[in-house]
Every structure is written in C-alpha cells, then in structure tokens.
Amino acid sequence: MENGLAWAAVGAAAGVVMCSIGFATFWMSIQRQITEAKTEASAAGLRGVQANLKIDTMQTSLSDFKVYAEKEFVNHDDLKELVGRHEAQFDNLREDLKGITTRLDRLLESRIPPGAHA
C-alpha cells in the first residue's frame, strides 16, 4: 500500500509540476503579448505624433502659399479694375487719333489748292 501511496504522491507531484509548467508557459505567452502590445502602442503613438507634426507643417506651408498667392496673383476684382483702366486708355488713345487725323485732314486741305482735287 505504501507503493500505491508513493505512486499517488509522485503522480500528484507530477500533476502539480505539469500544471505549474503549463501556467508558467501561459503566463510567459501573455506577458510577451502584453509587451508586444505596449511596443505597438508606443510605436503607434510615435507615428501619431509624427503625423500631427506633418499636418502642422503642411498647414503652415499652405498658409504661407496662400499669403504668397494673395500677393503675387491677381484676384477677380483686380482683373476687372485692370480691364477698366485699359479700356479707358484705349478710348483716350482712340480720341487722340481722331484728333490727329482731323488736324492732318485740315492741314492737307489747306496745302492742296481747291482745283487740284480732280
């Protein structure tokens, strides 16, 4: 009977050892997964910070370009004003040319004798 009890004790000890090994293996697997998750979360946080910095940089660049474009390019109202000024200048030029041609006509008429037209 002592043999039976010894074997039972060995079996129980083996069961405890196997359970302990199983639990240790399980715990080590969980610990590895927790460590990997923390690493991934840290990397994701770093990528998030980098993305935010890139967004801030892009917003600054876009704002700078907007200021540059406002200074360098013509807007619709400026273009309308420019066209209006040029139209007025062309009208003035047209009137000046009419005046010159009228004066030239008078000058030529005064120089050419009246009977020389035919």
Side-chain angles (χ1 to χ4, degrees):
M1 179 89 140
E2 283 184 30
N3 261 348
L5 276 175
W7 281 111
V10 169
V16 167
V17 168
M18 291 301 283
C19 284
S20 295
I21 290 173
F23 181 74
T25 302
F26 170 77
W27 183 252
M28 287 172 57
S29 174
I30 293 295
Q31 185 64 33
R32 181 180 48 80
Q33 290 176 1
I34 290 171
T35 302
E36 286 175 0
K38 284 181 180 179
T39 303
E40 286 180 31
S42 176
L46 180 59
R47 285 191 304 270
V49 168
Q50 288 172 336
N52 283 334
L53 288 173
K54 191 169 188 175
I55 288 169
D56 289 343
T57 302
M58 294 295 288
Q59 284 177 333
T60 301
S61 295
L62 185 58
S63 178
D64 291 345
F65 180 75
K66 182 179 176 186
V67 169
Y68 168 77
E70 287 174 351
K71 288 179 182 177
E72 294 296 321
F73 300 116
V74 180
N75 67 29
H76 185 70
D77 294 332
D78 291 340
L79 190 58
K80 284 171 72 175
E81 181 184 326
L82 182 65
V83 167
R85 270 189 286 156
H86 282 8
E87 285 177 347
Q89 288 174 348
F90 283 126
D91 287 340
N92 292 339
L93 183 60
R94 187 178 304 123
E95 292 301 316
D96 290 343
L97 285 174
K98 281 182 187 178
I100 290 172
T101 55
T102 303
R103 280 183 264 149
L104 281 174
D105 286 344
R106 280 192 233 137
L107 179 65
L108 289 173
E109 287 173 356
S110 69
R111 298 279 175 137
I112 299 175
H117 289 329

